[in-house]
């Protein structure tokens, strides 16, 4: 893959649209998106952050005021908007895969990469994130049991969409971003 010696930016040979990072909470999607976007000279989009800014409320509050369905409608509308553009690395919310219409959109607008980690690692990361409780509404019963339950339901969906899977439990975010870049360069 050609790399600009001045900027360090890597140029893909093929036009692949966007890179969508999918996966459960705390798999590092936002941080990896930032690093990968920088390596490619692309735009980094954090879907949850854009949603909160657009609606002037935290996701937790949107869940509380409009229920999960209200949040999912907003999430789907934003995804549609993102898919009109290219050369973005998009960190999606962990539940984006729940709607079939979202899954179709993701597959049609770029390459989907699934970031994984075991439930125990995810639970530790969430507990170590002081802002997590404020930002992330509970999905079911909370705690490790919630992670295990939700993963069981979602893993087949993540799996069905993913062009590649990158295990993050033992890899820091820059290594995950570089692993994706390597795959992009050998495919694109
Ligand atoms: C959700 C994950 C969150 C956010 C919302 C719902 C989920 O995103 O979209 O709280 O259903 O797993 P992150 O994966 O960025 O935490």
């Amino acid at each position: 893959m050609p790399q600009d010696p001045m900027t360090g930016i890597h140029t893909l040979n093929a036009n692949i649209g966007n890179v969508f990072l999918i996966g459960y909470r705390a798999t590092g999607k936002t941080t990896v998106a930032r690093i990968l976007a920088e390596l490619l000279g692309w735009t980094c989009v954090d879907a949850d952050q854009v949603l909160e800014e657009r609606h002037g409320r935290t996701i937790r509050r949107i869940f509380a005021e409009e229920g999960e369905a209200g949040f999912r409608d907003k999430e789907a509308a934003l995804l549609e908007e993102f898919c009109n553009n290219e050369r973005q690395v998009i960190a999606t919310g962990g539940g984006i895969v729940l709607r079939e219409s979202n899954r179709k959109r993701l597959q049609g607008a770029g390459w989907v990469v699934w970031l994984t980690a075991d439930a125990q690692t995810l639970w530790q990361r969430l507990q170590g994130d002081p802002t997590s409780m404020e930002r992330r509404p509970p999905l079911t019963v909370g705690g490790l049991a919630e992670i295990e339950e939700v993963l069981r339901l979602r893993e087949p969906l993540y799996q069905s969409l993913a062009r590649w899977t990158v295990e993050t439990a033992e890899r820091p975010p820059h290594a995950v971003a570089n692993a994706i870049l390597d795959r992009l360069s050998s495919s694109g």
Side-chain angles (χ1 to χ4, degrees):
M1 180 190 302
Q3 183 182 12
D4 185 314
M6 300 296 283
T7 61
I9 287 175
H10 299 253
T11 306
L12 298 183
N13 295 322
N15 177 8
I16 63 158
N18 299 291
V19 172
F20 295 99
L21 303 182
I22 62 168
Y24 196 75
R25 296 166 164 182
T27 46
K29 291 167 292 181
T30 299
T31 311
V32 171
R34 200 176 322 119
I35 299 168
L36 182 60
E38 215 164 280
L39 290 168
L40 290 167
W42 288 13
T43 305
C44 172
V45 178
D46 179 348
D48 285 342
Q49 192 187 326
V50 175
L51 193 148
E52 288 189 332
E53 283 166 6
R54 188 73 65 85
H55 295 280
R57 285 173 288 166
T58 62
I59 290 172
R60 202 178 168 89
R61 204 168 132 209
I62 295 171
F63 260 67
E65 292 175 356
E66 299 180 37
E68 181 170 351
F71 168 76
R72 297 289 172 210
D73 289 344
K74 292 176 176 45
E75 181 178 53
L78 266 188
L79 178 63
E80 184 178 354
E81 196 179 310
F82 298 149
C83 289
N84 293 324
N85 295 315
E86 292 184 339
R87 294 165 59 88
Q88 307 162 101
V89 183
I90 301 172
T92 61
I96 194 91
V97 296
L98 292 173
R99 289 195 178 174
E100 194 190 353
S101 51
N102 290 346
R103 297 201 292 275
K104 287 206 173 111
R105 258 189 231 294
L106 287 165
Q107 276 183 317
W111 289 18
V112 180
V113 182
W114 177 23
L115 305 190
T116 65
D118 57 278
Q120 202 45 262
T121 300
L122 296 173
W123 177 227
Q124 272 164 19
R125 286 182 187 166
L126 285 169
Q127 283 179 301
D129 175 356
T131 67
S132 184
M133 284 300 280
E134 278 160 45
R135 291 185 295 117
R136 293 183 166 110
L139 298 171
T140 60
V141 294
L144 179 60
E146 170 176 308
I147 298 172
E148 286 169 343
E149 180 189 344
V150 175
L151 276 181
R152 215 174 10 256
L153 294 172
R154 289 189 186 166
E155 274 178 351
L157 299 175
Y158 292 136
Q159 179 99 60
S160 72
L161 273 185
R163 188 180 278 257
W164 305 314
T165 301
V166 184
E167 171 42 53
T168 71
E170 303 291 334
R171 285 193 178 105
H174 73 268
V176 176
N178 276 292
I180 299 171
L181 185 69
D182 284 350
R183 298 294 296 267
L184 287 170
S185 62
S186 52
S187 315

